[in-house]
Amino acid sequence: MINDPIKSNITIDNYLDSHYIHRSNWLRAAVLGANDGIISISSLAIGIAAASTSREPIVLATVAGLVAGALSMAAGEYVSVSSQTDTENADIEREKTELREMPEEELHILAQIYEKRGLKKETAMQVAIEFTEKDALAAHIRDELGINEISQANPIQAAFASGASFTIGGVLPLIVVLFAPIEGMEYWLYGSTILFLILLGGLSAKTGGSSISKAILRITIWGTIAMGLSALVGYVFGVRV
């Protein structure tokens, strides 16, 4: 039997290179930031445009919203993910204490985890023993707490991805505000924003390996609702500026 040279080169070190799960942390933050940048800045601009007869207040509000939103997104993401990291670290410290004070109980817990995953009782215990002998803490962090290098939070990475993607997303409606005709600008903003959201949905789905049509539909529907409500507020409180 001839071995496939391509398959023979696959190892555990390069197997996940073609998978998408390792992108989940930064992709989630980037898509959230870009989506928020496009929708919030467009909604803000639409609301002001619906109550304005000149370009200056629309540009001013859009730029202010872009700067404040990008900083808020980055700071919020950093604080949020840092809280997750603190929780993970607290659990790891607790696990260290438990391994030191009750190693036998921890060994049996690990064996029960493997047994529930489908191993026979004897096999589960043998696996737990071998993992414990190699690195007990790593085994419990991974299999008891569910923390690994893919899912582990990274505050700096998440903050940068959110802030940068919000800025990129927010710049798109700002360009429309700068160059679109003042008459009917809200319609120009709505149409262009839908196009931006379709592109973002397709790009995020392609990067994450998910359904492109589902991503586009989801992001377009919620974007339309947000912009529609913002325009309604502008018309209802239509103070002309």
Side-chain angles (χ1 to χ4, degrees), residues 21-31 73-74 77-78 81-82 85 149-165:
I21 189 63
H22 61 282
R23 305 176 183 176
S24 60
N25 279 335
W26 66 262
L27 181 60
R28 177 196 63 82
V31 171
M73 280 293 294
E77 193 72 19
Y78 181 82
V81 178
S82 292
T85 303
E149 58 270 13
I150 293 177
S151 64
Q152 198 163 19
N154 187 326
I156 297 294
Q157 183 188 61
F160 178 79
S162 290
S165 57

Side-chain angles (χ1 to χ4, degrees), residues 50-74:
S52 177
T53 55
S54 60
R55 190 183 305 274
E56 288 75 14
I58 308 174
V59 173
L60 179 61
T62 303
V63 171
L66 176 59
V67 174
L71 295 175
S72 176
M73 280 293 294

Side-chain angles (χ1 to χ4, degrees), residues 215-228:
I216 290 175
L217 186 62
R218 178 173 60 232
I219 203 169
T220 303
I221 288 175
W222 286 106
T224 300
I225 293 172
M227 289 184 293

Side-chain angles (χ1 to χ4, degrees), residues 147-227:
I147 301 172
N148 56 52
E149 58 270 13
I150 293 177
S151 64
Q152 198 163 19
N154 187 326
I156 297 294
Q157 183 188 61
F160 178 79
S162 290
S165 57
F166 183 98
T167 302
I168 293 171
V171 163
L172 297 176
L174 175 60
I175 293 173
V176 177
V177 168
L178 290 173
F179 296 104
I182 189 67
E183 186 69 28
M185 181 179 286
E186 55 266 42
Y187 302 109
W188 282 90
L189 281 165
Y190 174 76
S192 60
T193 299
I194 292 299
L195 176 61
F196 298 149
L197 290 175
I198 289 173
L199 293 174
L200 174 62
L203 179 62
S204 63
K206 182 71 175 177
T207 305
S210 58
S211 169
I212 294 178
S213 58
K214 184 184 293 185
I216 290 175
L217 186 62
R218 178 173 60 232
I219 203 169
T220 303
I221 288 175
W222 286 106
T224 300
I225 293 172
M227 289 184 293

Side-chain angles (χ1 to χ4, degrees), residues 85-115:
T85 303
D86 291 343
T87 301
E88 291 175 352
N89 290 336
D91 264 346
I92 291 172
E93 290 302 318
R94 179 178 178 180
E95 202 62 39
K96 289 179 180 178
T97 302
E98 291 174 347
L99 283 169
R100 186 170 58 251
E101 295 178 352
M102 38 187 257
E104 287 297 321
E105 290 84 348
E106 286 293 298
L107 176 63
H108 282 86
I109 289 173
L110 200 59
Q112 290 173 33
I113 291 172
Y114 298 141
E115 190 175 348

